[in-house]
Amino acid sequence: EISECLVGSEMCIRDRIQPTISDIVDRYITTWVTGGVDDASWDSYKTELEGAGLNELVKTYQGAVDRAASAAN
């Protein structure tokens, strides 16, 4: 599990951002399953994820993946 590779400050970032990201994903999936998806809702979804810090979270996890890969070599 990549979460085990996170260091202190990265865990704080994950703990701050991940719950909001999960809530957004769950909300949109529920809406899409019951009512379908269109371009406007997809764009809104991406905007909300970016606003919630998705890019920061991806960068944080990528750093952990890179460190784990370096340690494995």
Side-chain angles (χ1 to χ4, degrees), residues 24 28 32 41-51 54:
I24 293 168
Y28 273 89
W32 292 335
S41 66
W42 180 254
D43 290 341
S44 176
Y45 175 68
K46 293 189 305 183
T47 299
E48 276 196 61
L49 289 174
E50 290 169 2
L54 180 64

Side-chain angles (χ1 to χ4, degrees), residues 12-41:
C12 291
I13 292 168
R14 179 206 53 205
D15 293 347
R16 176 176 49 85
I17 298 172
Q18 186 65 53
T20 304
I21 297 292
S22 294
D23 289 345
I24 293 168
V25 170
D26 291 346
R27 182 168 35 88
Y28 273 89
I29 287 175
T30 300
T31 301
W32 292 335
V33 166
T34 59
V37 62
D38 58 19
D39 288 342
S41 66

